[in-house]
Amino acid sequence: MGPKLADSVDGLRAAGNQSFRNGQFAEATVLYSRALRTLQAQGCSNPEEESILFSNRAACHLKDGNCRDCIKDCTSALALIPFSMKPLLRRASAYEALEKYPLAYVDYKTVLQIDDSVASAVEGINRMTRALVDSLGPEWRLKLPSIPLVPVTAQKRWDSLPLEYHKESAKSKFRETTSAKSRVSSSGDVERARVLKEEGNELVKKGNHKKAIEKYSESLSFSDMESATYSNRALCHLALKQYKEAVRDCTEALKLDGKNVKAFYRRAQAYKALKDYQSSFEDISSLLQLEPRNGPAQKLQQEVNQSLN
C-alpha cells in the first residue's frame, strides 16, 4: 500500500503551496522541508522535483525576510536544474535586499538571456545599474563577476511552459510595468540621462556602436521616457546585426512617441533583415503617412515590395 497523499512528496508540496497562498510562510517552509526529506529518503533521482521544492522553500524565506537561506536554497535549486528562472529571480531579489548589487545584477542579467521580456528582471537591471553607478562609479561594469552564458537549450525550454504560466507572467508584467510607469524620474535623473544619451550619440559618430549601446542603456536606467534614446539604441543594434533587439527598442520608442519616424524606419529595416516583409511594409506605410516624401522610406518600400511579390 502506497503512502497517504498528505505524506507523499506531491501531497506535501501541494499543502505547502496552499499554505504559501494563504500567507502562512513558516508553515509552508516546514511542509516543503518535509517533502524534500521524503524525496531524498526515497533514494531515486528526481532533480526537477527537488529543484522545485528548494525554489519554493526559497520563496518562503524571501517572504519572511530570511535572505541568506533564500540564497542558499536557490543555489541548491540551480545546482540541480541550471538556468531555472524562478530561483534566479528569487536569488536576485535576496541579493538586492542584502545590497549585494553586483551579484543581483548577474542573476537578473542571466534571466534576461533566457527571456528578455521578464518585466521584473528588466526593472531589476535598471535598479542595479543605478545602484552600481552610484556605488562603483562609471567603470562599474569592469568590477562585475562574470555573467554565465545561457545555452540555447535553456532558452528554448521556456517555450514549452504551460499556458497558465504565460497568463500569470503577462499579468505580472502588466502590474510591474504599470508600477514602473507610475514612478517619475527626478530632475537630476533626467539630466543624467540626457548627458549619457549625448555621450552615446558621440560614440555613434565614431562608429563605436557597442559602447554607445552601453551609454544609451545607462541613460534609460535613469529615465526611460525618452523615445529618441530607444530609437538611437536601435540604430546601434542594426549596425551590429542585432535585429530582434532593434525591433524591441523601436517598439518601445513608438510607445512613447507614435510619430517617431526614425523608429518606424529602423524597425522596418530590422523586420526586412528578419524576412518579416509584411511587418516591414506596414511600418514603412505608417512612416510615409507621416512623411510622404521621405526618400529612404520610399526606396525601402520598393525593396520590400519586391520581396513580397
Side-chain angles (χ1 to χ4, degrees):
M1 186 174 177
K4 294 179 181 178
L5 182 60
D7 295 326
S8 68
V9 173
D10 287 345
L12 290 164
R13 175 159 54 81
N17 293 347
Q18 186 59 52
S19 294
F20 186 90
R21 285 192 291 269
N22 294 338
Q24 299 167 319
F25 305 122
E27 182 179 306
T29 299
V30 171
L31 289 163
Y32 291 137
S33 298
R34 283 179 58 195
L36 276 165
R37 288 195 298 272
T38 302
L39 181 65
Q40 291 160 354
Q42 290 174 357
C44 58
S45 177
N46 191 341
E48 192 153 349
E49 177 69 27
E50 193 172 355
S51 178
I52 289 169
L53 289 168
F54 275 121
S55 179
N56 287 3
R57 191 171 68 178
C60 300
H61 292 318
L62 190 61
K63 288 288 188 181
D64 280 336
N66 184 355
C67 295
R68 297 188 188 282
D69 280 343
C70 173
I71 290 167
K72 183 178 177 182
D73 273 355
C74 288
T75 302
S76 296
L78 290 163
L80 291 159
I81 306 292
F83 306 116
S84 297
M85 280 204 291
K86 285 184 178 179
L88 279 168
L89 284 168
R90 288 163 184 165
R91 190 171 68 177
S93 296
Y95 279 140
E96 184 176 353
L98 292 172
E99 298 185 4
K100 295 185 177 183
Y101 300 134
L103 294 171
Y105 182 94
V106 168
D107 277 351
Y108 284 132
K109 195 73 172 176
T110 303
V111 169
L112 291 176
Q113 287 186 68
I114 299 166
D115 183 349
D116 62 10
S117 69
V118 177
S120 57
V122 173
E123 287 297 306
I125 280 289
N126 290 339
R127 288 194 305 274
M128 294 308 93
T129 299
R130 288 194 290 268
L132 289 164
V133 169
D134 289 341
S135 61
L136 300 179
E139 301 298 318
W140 63 273
R141 290 181 187 276
L142 302 176
K143 302 171 185 177
L144 289 176
S146 60
I147 298 172
L149 183 64
V150 177
V152 174
T153 50
Q155 295 174 38
K156 287 182 178 178
R157 184 195 318 162
W158 308 111
D159 293 338
S160 62
L161 284 172
L163 180 62
E164 289 74 12
Y165 174 87
H166 292 294
K167 287 180 178 177
E168 184 57 37
S169 178
K171 290 178 186 175
S172 174
K173 182 176 179 180
F174 175 78
R175 287 194 298 269
E176 291 168 21
T177 302
T178 303
S179 173
K181 287 185 177 178
S182 68
R183 294 194 297 272
V184 179
S185 300
S186 69
S187 58
D189 283 346
V190 171
E191 176 59 20
R192 199 161 187 177
R194 186 193 66 77
V195 170
L196 286 163
K197 176 191 163 191
E198 291 302 321
E199 290 177 8
N201 293 348
E202 289 302 314
L203 287 164
V204 168
K205 291 175 185 176
K206 296 174 183 176
N208 194 340
H209 295 102
K210 286 185 179 180
K211 284 287 185 182
I213 286 174
E214 291 181 10
K215 289 295 181 183
Y216 291 137
S217 298
E218 287 186 43
S219 173
L220 290 166
S221 74
F222 287 102
S223 176
D224 59 358
M225 301 304 291
E226 179 64 47
S227 177
T229 308
Y230 281 108
S231 55
N232 288 2
R233 190 170 67 176
L235 173 66
C236 299
H237 287 309
L238 280 172
L240 297 171
K241 295 181 168 45
Q242 298 169 344
Y243 301 120
K244 290 182 180 179
E245 290 85 349
V247 167
R248 187 170 64 246
D249 272 354
C250 289
T251 301
E252 291 300 319
L254 289 164
K255 286 178 184 176
L256 294 166
D257 178 7
K259 295 183 179 180
N260 186 328
V261 169
K262 290 180 178 178
F264 275 124
Y265 182 71
R266 289 165 186 167
R267 191 168 69 176
Q269 288 179 300
Y271 278 137
K272 178 175 177 283
L274 293 166
K275 301 188 187 308
D276 185 351
Y277 301 119
Q278 186 59 45
S279 295
S280 181
F281 181 83
E282 289 170 5
D283 275 350
I284 299 165
S285 298
S286 298
L287 189 164
L288 290 172
Q289 286 179 9
L290 296 169
E291 291 188 5
R293 297 183 181 180
N294 187 305
Q298 290 172 342
K299 182 181 177 184
L300 184 60
Q301 186 181 51
Q302 291 173 357
E303 294 171 1
V304 171
N305 270 332
Q306 288 175 358
S307 300
L308 281 170
N309 295 333

